Amino acid sequence: MTPTRSFRPMMIGSCVLAFVMVLAPLAAIVWVSFFANKIISFPPTGYTLDWYKAAWEMPRFRDGFLTSLQLAIVATGISLLVGVPASVVLARGRFPGREAIQSLLMAPLIVPGIVAGAAFYMFLIEIEVNTGIQVAMTFTGLAVAHSLIALPWTVRLVTASLLGVDPQLREAALTMGARPLTAFFRVTWPVIRPGVVAGALFSFVVSFVDLEKSLFLVGPGTTTLPIVIVNYLEWSVDPTIAAVATVQIALIAAGLIVTDRYFKLARAF
């Protein structure tokens, strides 16, 4: 038996173990969300959908979900508007400070979320002190912070897609009379579209589930879904939380499946 064949069962076993470790907690949460008993215990006394109805009827869960959804949409839009042009410039341009700019755009992936949240909060307070304009604890400040954590995903994935674009194709289009914008949409866009879609999807997800920065930046009367979940767990542990988490899992999974169906996310990596 060759070394490759001898290691194959071990590799398959490792892959199966990794999938089980990732999927088992998610499956457990989905299962618990259908338990009929108020106190979580095994085996369940029955199954019901009442916890989903109860979660939606609670204003804090409903408002938190809508706020997180709005923030994720705004953050995704801003990250695309800034990230796609920045990726094009960084991938094609050769200018002083290029590496520094690229490192700066990637910084939110490296800095711990709790540190970045505290730093951004103090930055907004300084703006308020010096200008008199309230930015901290507003939806605007929260949206800007979420855009910063979404931006690196857009830049990273779009830049990776641009590496597969032959610059000579764009130059040929320009030589034949196409305008720069026309050359971008006819030549570059079809190649980088999976990266743009993947960047938008990951931007949406990281904004939707963010907790650390939101803890510092939410204002009175405004909260996000992850904060609501944490606050609820301080006083109660029942299948309501599992129902809310299941909705999050279903939303993200549906986004991944639908997006991959039309844009093949594997091409962006």
Side-chain angles (χ1 to χ4, degrees):
M1 182 179 294
T2 63
T4 302
R5 290 184 178 180
S6 63
F7 280 110
R8 184 172 299 173
M10 184 181 300
M11 295 172 62
I12 295 174
S14 300
C15 292
V16 171
L17 180 61
F19 274 108
V20 170
M21 292 178 65
V22 171
L23 297 179
L26 301 180
I29 290 173
V30 175
W31 185 29
V32 169
S33 70
F34 296 104
F35 282 16
N37 38 312
K38 183 175 178 60
I39 299 176
I40 299 176
S41 59
F42 297 90
T45 58
Y47 296 96
T48 181
L49 294 173
D50 291 344
W51 300 111
Y52 291 89
K53 180 181 177 181
W56 182 253
E57 290 178 347
M58 292 183 181
R60 50 182 168 177
F61 281 120
R62 185 173 62 252
D63 295 343
F65 173 81
L66 294 176
T67 300
S68 292
L69 187 62
Q70 293 172 3
L71 277 172
I73 293 173
V74 172
T76 301
I78 295 175
S79 70
L80 290 176
L81 288 174
V82 177
V84 174
S87 300
V88 173
V89 173
L90 291 172
R92 293 177 175 171
R94 295 294 182 269
F95 52 88
R98 174 176 171 272
E99 297 297 332
I101 294 175
Q102 190 168 10
S103 299
L104 183 63
L105 292 173
M106 294 292 107
L109 290 177
I110 303 172
V111 179
I114 196 73
V115 175
F120 196 74
Y121 172 73
M122 290 186 287
F123 174 71
L124 295 182
I125 292 295
E126 287 296 326
I127 292 178
E128 184 174 343
V129 170
N130 289 282
T131 64
I133 301 174
Q134 183 179 359
V135 184
M137 296 187 177
T138 63
F139 184 86
T140 301
L142 194 57
V144 173
H146 278 237
S147 301
L148 289 177
I149 63 176
L151 182 61
W153 290 99
T154 300
V155 173
R156 185 174 185 179
L157 293 171
V158 175
T159 302
S161 297
L162 281 166
L163 295 177
V165 180
D166 188 352
Q168 294 182 355
L169 295 177
R170 178 176 175 273
E171 293 175 2
L174 295 175
T175 301
M176 297 181 68
R179 295 181 178 180
L181 195 60
T182 302
F184 174 81
F185 283 106
R186 293 291 183 88
V187 178
T188 306
W189 174 253
V191 179
I192 69 171
R193 184 172 58 182
V196 174
V197 174
L201 179 63
F202 278 87
S203 297
F204 181 90
V205 171
V206 297
S207 172
F208 190 78
V209 302
D210 177 76
L211 173 64
E212 295 90 345
K213 295 179 182 63
S214 300
L215 280 172
F216 287 94
L217 301 172
V218 292
T222 302
T223 189
T224 62
L225 188 58
I227 295 178
V228 174
I229 292 174
V230 172
N231 291 337
Y232 188 85
L233 286 172
E234 291 182 0
W235 304 101
S236 179
V237 179
D238 57 43
T240 304
I241 289 296
V244 175
T246 300
V247 171
Q248 286 185 299
I249 294 170
L251 181 64
I252 295 171
L256 286 169
I257 293 172
V258 172
T259 304
D260 187 67
R261 169 66 177 80
Y262 292 100
F263 296 101
K264 299 302 178 186
L265 296 179
R267 291 175 55 192
F269 297 91

